[in-house]
Amino acid sequence: MTQLLEHISQDFVKIFIAYLVNISALVFTIRYSYGKIKTNNKFVLTFYLINTIVFFVCYLFIKSNINVGISLGIFAVFTLMRYKTESIKVVEMTFVFLSIGLAFINSICIGVISIMIICFANLTIVGFTYFLSRMGNINEKSIKIVYQNIDLLHPNNRGTLYTDLSRVLHESVYKVEVLEIDFEKSRSVLTVYYY
């Protein structure tokens, strides 16, 4: 009985430390990388839940000697089913993949690879994500608006359109997509991209 409790206790400590490393990496990534890119927290709960579920399912599959490839296939099917129903941007899909990847790495390495290597892998992923979120167009934001001055939508008036939108939004507009134009009501729906 004592050996069983020691074995359970050792397994619990291993999974607790691995989950703590896993969730710490995810929290930092979501807060400081995704939070820098997006101000909309619509997907944050999804990232945390997917990460936690994948972590424990992979760990339980490994402990029960079920092939991890089967578990990844199951998650791929569920992910495709879920995200085919709603249009999701590349950034969100990247962070969904990142949360699955972190969970997978941290769950399969329990007791196989040293905690230092696992921490190094997590720091590398989190650090690289943090670095990339601070540079280039990754910090872009977008907003969908109804715009009344459809005369400025002509390609010859592109500069004036950007200037007008930058003035109205108090942001540096660098790209505009026209989603629809209603000539009868003299209005359009635009997606405006800015920094």
mmCIF file of all heavy atoms in Angstrom, residues 33 126-136 138:
data_model
loop_
_atom_site.group_PDB
_atom_site.id
_atom_site.type_symbol
_atom_site.label_atom_id
_atom_site.label_comp_id
_atom_site.label_asym_id
_atom_site.label_seq_id
_atom_site.Cartn_x
_atom_site.Cartn_y
_atom_site.Cartn_z
ATOM 1 N N SER A 33 1.780 38.111 -25.739
ATOM 2 C CA SER A 33 1.918 38.025 -27.189
ATOM 3 C C SER A 33 0.569 38.221 -27.872
ATOM 4 O O SER A 33 0.399 39.125 -28.684
ATOM 5 C CB SER A 33 2.525 36.680 -27.594
ATOM 6 O OG SER A 33 3.832 36.578 -27.090
ATOM 7 N N VAL A 126 7.796 30.398 -26.274
ATOM 8 C CA VAL A 126 7.184 31.608 -25.725
ATOM 9 C C VAL A 126 8.007 32.844 -26.107
ATOM 10 O O VAL A 126 7.455 33.865 -26.516
ATOM 11 C CB VAL A 126 7.033 31.487 -24.192
ATOM 12 C CG1 VAL A 126 6.644 32.813 -23.570
ATOM 13 C CG2 VAL A 126 6.004 30.429 -23.856
ATOM 14 N N GLY A 127 9.321 32.744 -26.005
ATOM 15 C CA GLY A 127 10.179 33.876 -26.339
ATOM 16 C C GLY A 127 10.095 34.251 -27.806
ATOM 17 O O GLY A 127 10.030 35.441 -28.151
ATOM 18 N N PHE A 128 10.083 33.258 -28.671
ATOM 19 C CA PHE A 128 9.989 33.515 -30.103
ATOM 20 C C PHE A 128 8.639 34.150 -30.445
ATOM 21 O O PHE A 128 8.567 35.100 -31.227
ATOM 22 C CB PHE A 128 10.193 32.217 -30.875
ATOM 23 C CG PHE A 128 10.416 32.405 -32.341
ATOM 24 C CD1 PHE A 128 11.545 33.066 -32.809
ATOM 25 C CD2 PHE A 128 9.506 31.934 -33.259
ATOM 26 C CE1 PHE A 128 11.759 33.263 -34.166
ATOM 27 C CE2 PHE A 128 9.708 32.116 -34.616
ATOM 28 C CZ PHE A 128 10.836 32.777 -35.070
ATOM 29 N N THR A 129 7.579 33.656 -29.833
ATOM 30 C CA THR A 129 6.247 34.225 -30.061
ATOM 31 C C THR A 129 6.189 35.664 -29.564
ATOM 32 O O THR A 129 5.640 36.544 -30.231
ATOM 33 C CB THR A 129 5.172 33.376 -29.356
ATOM 34 O OG1 THR A 129 5.303 32.022 -29.774
ATOM 35 C CG2 THR A 129 3.783 33.878 -29.673
ATOM 36 N N TYR A 130 6.757 35.896 -28.393
ATOM 37 C CA TYR A 130 6.788 37.250 -27.825
ATOM 38 C C TYR A 130 7.558 38.193 -28.740
ATOM 39 O O TYR A 130 7.113 39.304 -29.028
ATOM 40 C CB TYR A 130 7.418 37.204 -26.432
ATOM 41 C CG TYR A 130 7.527 38.546 -25.764
ATOM 42 C CD1 TYR A 130 6.413 39.127 -25.156
ATOM 43 C CD2 TYR A 130 8.725 39.236 -25.727
ATOM 44 C CE1 TYR A 130 6.504 40.359 -24.543
ATOM 45 C CE2 TYR A 130 8.827 40.464 -25.115
ATOM 46 C CZ TYR A 130 7.711 41.019 -24.526
ATOM 47 O OH TYR A 130 7.810 42.246 -23.921
ATOM 48 N N PHE A 131 8.721 37.741 -29.210
ATOM 49 C CA PHE A 131 9.549 38.565 -30.095
ATOM 50 C C PHE A 131 8.787 38.913 -31.376
ATOM 51 O O PHE A 131 8.769 40.069 -31.804
ATOM 52 C CB PHE A 131 10.856 37.831 -30.421
ATOM 53 C CG PHE A 131 11.691 38.508 -31.447
ATOM 54 C CD1 PHE A 131 12.398 39.669 -31.137
ATOM 55 C CD2 PHE A 131 11.775 38.006 -32.736
ATOM 56 C CE1 PHE A 131 13.171 40.313 -32.100
ATOM 57 C CE2 PHE A 131 12.548 38.640 -33.701
ATOM 58 C CZ PHE A 131 13.246 39.792 -33.381
ATOM 59 N N LEU A 132 8.164 37.919 -31.993
ATOM 60 C CA LEU A 132 7.443 38.161 -33.244
ATOM 61 C C LEU A 132 6.230 39.067 -33.053
ATOM 62 O O LEU A 132 5.867 39.824 -33.956
ATOM 63 C CB LEU A 132 7.011 36.842 -33.877
ATOM 64 C CG LEU A 132 8.127 36.003 -34.477
ATOM 65 C CD1 LEU A 132 7.569 34.688 -35.000
ATOM 66 C CD2 LEU A 132 8.843 36.751 -35.583
ATOM 67 N N SER A 133 5.598 38.984 -31.894
ATOM 68 C CA SER A 133 4.411 39.816 -31.657
ATOM 69 C C SER A 133 4.778 41.284 -31.484
ATOM 70 O O SER A 133 3.922 42.146 -31.569
ATOM 71 C CB SER A 133 3.646 39.327 -30.436
ATOM 72 O OG SER A 133 4.372 39.577 -29.250
ATOM 73 N N ARG A 134 6.040 41.562 -31.249
ATOM 74 C CA ARG A 134 6.496 42.939 -31.046
ATOM 75 C C ARG A 134 7.006 43.609 -32.316
ATOM 76 O O ARG A 134 7.374 44.764 -32.298
ATOM 77 C CB ARG A 134 7.622 42.975 -30.001
ATOM 78 C CG ARG A 134 7.203 42.524 -28.634
ATOM 79 C CD ARG A 134 6.286 43.562 -28.040
ATOM 80 N NE ARG A 134 5.977 43.295 -26.654
ATOM 81 C CZ ARG A 134 4.784 42.945 -26.211
ATOM 82 N NH1 ARG A 134 3.797 42.789 -27.042
ATOM 83 N NH2 ARG A 134 4.570 42.753 -24.937
ATOM 84 N N MET A 135 7.046 42.881 -33.405
ATOM 85 C CA MET A 135 7.617 43.465 -34.617
ATOM 86 C C MET A 135 6.660 43.374 -35.797
ATOM 87 O O MET A 135 5.730 42.602 -35.790
ATOM 88 C CB MET A 135 8.935 42.785 -34.981
ATOM 89 C CG MET A 135 8.823 41.298 -35.203
ATOM 90 S SD MET A 135 10.370 40.516 -35.572
ATOM 91 C CE MET A 135 10.604 40.977 -37.253
ATOM 92 N N GLY A 136 6.903 44.185 -36.801
ATOM 93 C CA GLY A 136 6.227 44.100 -38.088
ATOM 94 C C GLY A 136 4.732 44.279 -38.052
ATOM 95 O O GLY A 136 4.166 44.883 -37.154
ATOM 96 N N ILE A 138 2.507 42.233 -37.487
ATOM 97 C CA ILE A 138 1.757 41.342 -36.613
ATOM 98 C C ILE A 138 0.928 42.137 -35.597
ATOM 99 O O ILE A 138 -0.019 41.647 -35.026
ATOM 100 C CB ILE A 138 2.692 40.328 -35.923
ATOM 101 C CG1 ILE A 138 1.898 39.139 -35.444
ATOM 102 C CG2 ILE A 138 3.459 40.962 -34.791
ATOM 103 C CD1 ILE A 138 2.739 37.932 -35.137
#
